[in-house]
Every structure is written in structure tokens, then in C-alpha cells.
Amino acid sequence: MSDPHPHGLPEGASGELPGEPNATGWEPLRAALPALGVLAMMNQKALGDLSGYGELRAVHPGDTVIQEDAEQGRLYIIISGAFDIFSTVDGKEIHLARVGEGECFGEASLLIPAPASASVRAVQPGSLWSIDRDGLSRYLAAHAGGGGALLMGMAQCLAARLRASNDQIISHFMAQARTLTMARTRPMPIKLENTKTEESFFGKLKSSLSSTGTGRKPKIRTEIKL
């Protein structure tokens, strides 16, 4: 007998977008995901198949989706709304990025298990679709074509984030380099050293005439005798 709920959806799931939330605050989703952002390369059938392997959740401003340093193993795709990604250093929040519709986050920890490197907080009302590591593995095993398109979208998301990080790093070091260059090329005040200058010819002549050994300066006659 075939499983009437191949994706593990509970009885009574309405399939609406959104539907009734389950006990965890997430809701099963049978309707196709929107073809945007990281999902843009997937066709409607692939999106419909994928939707059943994950869950949909409504979010409100101020909701923390991911906490920095907490265990994290889910991929999140933004269906609507906007989210801030930030890190905390010495008790101060450092804003890293703002992501919106069609973008994703959490993909790095999904592929390489590790604590979250940053926090994610909702800044607008919206909805998130999420899939965990087990759900992604099952989808990839059952839907090679759609799985390839999904992985390509995730790779593009990672590449875009890496490029943005590189640009920030380059801008930071370029600013430091400009500061150092300006400091080195700033005009320096000219200092005159108290050094003895070389005497002219007439100065040397005067010195030699004055040192006759008698301590007296020789007299130079200026009259002309006939």
C-alpha cells in the first residue's frame, strides 16, 4: 500500500499558502513555492515537489530566526519580508547585511554542520520556508533534476554572499591603505641644520691673511706710489 503522505505531511493539512500552523509554529506546505531568487531555476513541478519536504512559517518584526553560536542545520528561503543579518562583538551589534524576497540564509551550516556564525532577525512581516538537512537529503535522492536546480540556486546565493564579503574586506583595506599613503606623502617641515657652510674663495683668502702667526691682521696698502 502506498503512503498517502509521501512527504510526511500530517492528516488534515490544507495545502494553503499559508495554512494552519502545527505545534512547532511551522506549517506543512503542499502548494508550489514561488519561482524567485534561489528557486528561480526550478519549474512548477519541481517547486511543488520541494514544498512538501519543508515547512512554512510566518514571521513578525523582531523575531529572531537564527541565534549566533547556536546549533543550526536548516536552509531558510525568504518568501516575503526582510531580515537583518548581524553579529555581536563586545556586546555591540554589527550589521552585516539585509536580505529580502527570494534570498536565502543558513545554507552554509546546512551543508557544513557548525554553530551559526551570525544572527538573523526579521525587520518586516513576512514568511519563511525552511528545510532541514534530512529533508534536503530525501528531496535530492528522490528528485535529481529539481535537486540540481536547487543546489545551483544555493551555490549562487553563496557566491553572491562571498563576493559581498570580499568587497567589504577590500574596501576596508583600501581605506587603511589610503590613510597610510596620505600620512607618508604629507609635506614634511624643512629643518635647517646648524652646519658650517663651505667658505668662498675670498673668505678663505681673508682667513689665510689673518693667520700670520703674529696675531695681527696684515695691513693692505691701497695707495699707488709713482
Side-chain angles (χ1 to χ4, degrees):
M1 180 178 178
S2 61
D3 183 359
H5 304 290
H7 304 321
L9 298 179
E11 288 288 340
S14 64
E16 299 294 330
L17 180 60
E20 293 297 325
N22 59 22
T24 64
W26 293 83
E27 55 189 282
L29 178 66
R30 285 188 182 276
L33 290 163
L36 49 82
V38 67
L39 305 175
M41 290 184 287
M42 302 180 69
N43 58 35
Q44 287 300 307
K45 181 181 183 308
L47 290 168
D49 292 335
L50 175 64
S51 65
Y53 287 85
E55 298 173 305
L56 187 73
R57 175 186 174 184
V59 291
H60 306 281
D63 288 352
T64 298
V65 182
I66 294 179
Q67 184 66 49
E68 186 176 6
D69 294 328
E71 290 300 320
Q72 155 62 16
R74 301 186 75 91
L75 165 69
Y76 297 88
I77 297 177
I78 304 171
I79 306 303
S80 62
F83 299 79
D84 276 346
I85 300 176
F86 63 94
S87 185
T88 303
V89 179
D90 295 331
K92 182 180 179 181
E93 292 186 1
I94 307 298
H95 183 266
L96 302 176
R98 175 165 292 186
V99 290
E101 184 178 290
E103 296 184 87
C104 67
F105 54 86
E107 70 285 348
S109 295
L110 181 70
L111 299 174
I112 304 175
S117 59
S119 299
V120 181
R121 180 190 298 145
V123 294
Q124 295 177 3
S127 57
L128 280 172
W129 182 82
S130 169
I131 187 170
D132 61 15
R133 194 172 293 112
D134 178 66
L136 179 61
S137 297
R138 290 188 291 110
Y139 176 73
L140 295 177
H143 304 279
L150 174 61
L151 291 177
M152 182 63 72
M154 291 171 61
Q156 289 181 342
C157 181
L158 277 168
R161 192 156 297 139
L162 179 61
R163 174 175 292 179
S165 297
N166 287 341
D167 289 343
Q168 288 183 337
I169 292 171
I170 291 172
S171 297
H172 173 73
F173 282 106
M174 287 297 292
Q176 287 188 328
R178 282 194 293 268
T179 301
L180 290 173
T181 301
M182 291 176 63
R184 290 176 179 175
T185 57
R186 186 178 295 120
M188 300 297 292
I190 299 175
K191 295 182 179 180
L192 295 177
E193 297 183 1
N194 188 19
T195 57
K196 186 177 180 180
T197 57
E198 184 178 355
E199 291 183 316
S200 65
F201 170 77
F202 292 103
K204 290 179 179 180
L205 179 60
K206 183 177 179 181
S207 298
S208 63
L209 292 175
S210 64
S211 56
T212 58
T214 61
R216 295 178 300 173
K217 295 182 179 179
K219 295 181 179 181
I220 301 177
R221 295 179 181 276
T222 56
E223 67 272 22
I224 299 175
K225 291 184 178 183
L226 299 176

